[in-house]
Amino acid sequence: MPDTDYSSFKKALAESKNIVVLAGAGFSAASGIPTFRGAGGFWRQYQATDLATPEAFQRDPVLVWQFYQYRRQIVMKAEPNPAHRIVAQLCSSSSKLAKIAPLATSFRLMTQNIDNLSTRALPDGVSPSALPIEIHGNLFQAKCTVCGLTEENHQFELADSWDKNQEQEQDADTQVKPTVKDLPHCRQCGGLLRPDVVWFGEEPHRLDETADIITKECDFLIVVGTTGAVTPCGIFPDLVRDAGGQVAVFNLETTYNDRQANFIFRGPCEETLVEALS
Ligand code: BV8
Ligand code: ZN
């Protein structure tokens, strides 16, 4: 039966060497970012998984860019929440980490989220090793569909004809729909840019690196705010347990990862995770 006691969690953490946090959409929920399968997971009449695929982009690149533009607009107004902040502190401060895990040589974040909030929670000038591994990419990165050039893209460089109030769903059909020529294009070759995020059916970013960390180094995996429904991240808890590590699950409700959990903390991670890691 998984343990639900914070003091035994903290004791286990204090004996761990390579701690990994695996985050999902629930990690950013307190920042006001809609999760995938919750009520906010719908956009107009679509499920996100109807739009987060290469086929959807092939079929209607304008609609897919509107979907990501809508999410960028929400994220740009959002702030990191206490869960982002405590994980960012432990990723970037060895002295703070030593207080809760004196034997730890690494504390890393792997996030399925593309909202950049975990990076924004970090202090300026951190070492690259403190940055999150963004397994599913980043909303503020674009990639050329022709030459593969990738570029950061923080301001809304989308054409003026772009509807600035996409969230007003009721008048979605009355707006002038942008065309492909209004979409962002590559400054190097003129090719159409796509959001540099991992769509369903595509290989996650840094997969070999994350697989090595999970199977060869991680001895304590903290899974936060994810259903565990999406692979390959959804099987990381199994891999850590198979390698003799421990797993803790922080979620509002049951998840596919609960069966692998040594610890389960039911509740909002912006509270439970802060309690557990303080
Ligand atoms: C791959 C980026 C192979 C884009 C995302 C059939 C057909 C085709 C494919 C498949 C198939 N069956 C399985 C697959 C594989 C597929 C998959 O898993 N599909 C699922 C739907 C079954 N996976 C893939 O395609 C992956 N690629 O397998 O490639 C390969 C491998 C090697 C080499 C070559 C090829 C790629 C998957 C990546 C897809 N992209 N995001 C975008 O965001 O638009 S996934 C997307 O879902 C997000 O990243 C999200 O994080 C992720 C997982 O969802 P959750 O994080 O769990 O979010 P959700 O809303 O579901 O749940 C929120 C959770 O938070 C809930 O549990 C809730 O209770 C909790 N919560 C809410 N608030 C709080 C909270 N918890 C705590 N506190 C709170 N306050
Ligand atoms: Zn190009």
Side-chain angles (χ1 to χ4, degrees):
M1 190 61 184
D3 200 331
T4 57
D5 176 64
Y6 283 112
S7 52
S8 41
F9 170 88
K10 291 183 181 189
K11 189 168 165 303
L13 200 64
E15 289 153 11
S16 302
K17 293 189 179 58
N18 293 295
I19 303 159
V20 173
V21 175
L22 173 63
F27 193 52
S28 297
S31 300
I33 312 299
T35 60
F36 261 73
R37 292 161 190 81
F42 280 81
W43 179 58
R44 295 184 185 161
Q45 67 276 28
Y46 296 97
Q47 265 286 8
T49 40
D50 299 335
L51 293 162
T53 65
E55 296 75 21
F57 188 74
Q58 194 72 35
R59 194 173 51 243
D60 191 344
V62 171
L63 180 65
V64 171
W65 262 114
Q66 283 185 309
F67 174 52
Y68 286 96
Q69 176 68 359
Y70 163 65
R71 290 172 65 185
R72 282 160 54 126
Q73 285 172 328
I74 291 175
V75 169
M76 289 294 268
K77 292 178 213 147
E79 288 299 326
N81 67 57
H84 293 120
R85 295 197 189 285
I86 194 156
V87 168
Q89 279 176 12
L90 293 167
C91 286
S92 56
S93 160
S94 48
S95 58
K96 287 202 169 75
L97 177 59
K99 285 202 182 88
I100 61 162
L103 303 180
T105 49
S106 71
F107 186 98
R108 268 173 285 219
L109 171 62
M110 294 179 183
T111 183
Q112 298 175 90
N113 300 335
I114 61 173
D115 56 34
N116 204 42
L117 288 175
S118 295
T119 303
R120 284 177 50 197
L122 287 166
D124 293 337
V126 292
S127 75
S129 63
L131 294 172
I133 296 179
E134 295 175 315
I135 304 173
H136 293 163
N138 186 311
L139 264 177
F140 298 97
Q141 191 86 7
K143 182 169 70 176
C144 177
T145 57
V146 175
C147 74
L149 178 91
T150 58
E151 62 177 40
E152 287 237 336
N153 177 311
H154 281 268
Q155 63 284 0
F156 293 130
E157 281 169 356
L158 302 178
D160 289 349
S161 66
W162 204 270
D163 155 50
K164 293 281 181 287
N165 59 344
Q166 292 173 37
E167 291 150 292
Q168 316 306 331
E169 298 184 8
Q170 68 280 5
D171 59 3
D173 303 330
T174 55
Q175 285 142 17
V176 174
K177 183 167 163 122
T179 63
V180 174
K181 70 171 177 24
D182 293 319
L183 297 179
H185 284 77
C186 179
R187 65 177 187 286
Q188 181 166 278
C189 77
L192 177 62
L193 295 183
R194 57 165 278 183
D196 190 13
V197 299
V198 177
W199 284 328
F200 289 101
E202 293 186 321
E203 181 177 343
H205 288 178
R206 300 171 64 176
L207 188 58
D208 294 343
E209 181 188 352
T210 39
D212 277 352
I213 293 170
I214 289 292
T215 53
K216 297 175 185 151
E217 293 175 31
C218 176
D219 56 358
F220 202 113
L221 181 67
I222 300 172
V223 187
V224 189
T226 183
T227 53
V230 171
T231 57
C233 297
I235 63 158
F236 285 1
D238 306 74
L239 298 176
V240 168
R241 287 303 303 271
D242 291 350
Q246 298 195 74
V247 171
V249 172
F250 290 77
N251 202 299
L252 290 175
E253 57 192 25
T254 58
T255 80
Y256 289 108
N257 299 139
D258 289 5
R259 69 197 188 307
Q260 294 301 347
N262 303 87
F263 302 92
I264 292 184
F265 296 101
R266 197 63 78 230
C269 63
E270 61 275 17
E271 293 165 19
T272 56
L273 191 65
V274 174
E275 165 83 28
L277 296 179
S278 298

